[in-house]
Amino acid sequence: MHDRIAAEQASLGPNPPLVTIVILNYNYAEFVGRCIASVDRQDYPNIQCLVLDCGSNDDSLRVIDAALGEVSNPFFRLLRREVNGGQVPNYLSALD
């Protein structure tokens, strides 16, 4: 399995395409930390991860801050929106 993955990564060449992962959060404090940890374990060589909180009023921001404090990769970026505009508008706002 690891040999196959290494071969696939080698076939990408020296400049693999950027993959952007958007974690959209609204009051998912129970799950968002595990989601961030899962992305942190990815081994694709060219990732950026946008963690977008959309006006959560639960403990989400504390959980996100704690999870981001424990990551080993530098590709995370936290974005905060004061208002939850709905799923599609929130995802689209991550492109701004």
Side-chain angles (χ1 to χ4, degrees):
M1 174 91 167
H2 293 289
D3 293 335
R4 181 180 61 82
I5 293 171
E8 287 174 3
Q9 287 181 347
S11 72
L12 294 172
N15 298 311
L18 176 65
V19 171
T20 300
I21 299 168
V22 178
I23 299 174
L24 185 64
N25 182 74
Y26 176 70
N27 290 339
Y28 282 119
E30 181 180 351
F31 306 106
V32 70
R34 285 180 282 175
C35 187
I36 291 168
S38 176
V39 172
D40 192 41
R41 290 190 298 269
Q42 301 308 306
D43 60 0
Y44 182 80
N46 196 12
I47 294 175
Q48 71 175 345
C49 181
L50 307 176
V51 181
L52 176 56
D53 183 75
C54 304
S56 292
N57 54 26
D58 66 351
D59 207 21
S60 290
L61 288 176
R62 186 194 61 76
V63 172
I64 291 168
D65 286 340
L68 292 178
E70 296 177 8
V71 297
S72 58
N73 289 294
F75 51 66
F76 290 89
R77 184 169 156 218
L78 175 59
L79 306 170
R80 294 180 178 171
R81 303 289 184 256
E82 295 299 318
V83 177
N84 181 8
Q87 190 170 25
V88 172
N90 286 336
Y91 272 117
L92 292 175
S93 78
L95 301 175
D96 292 341

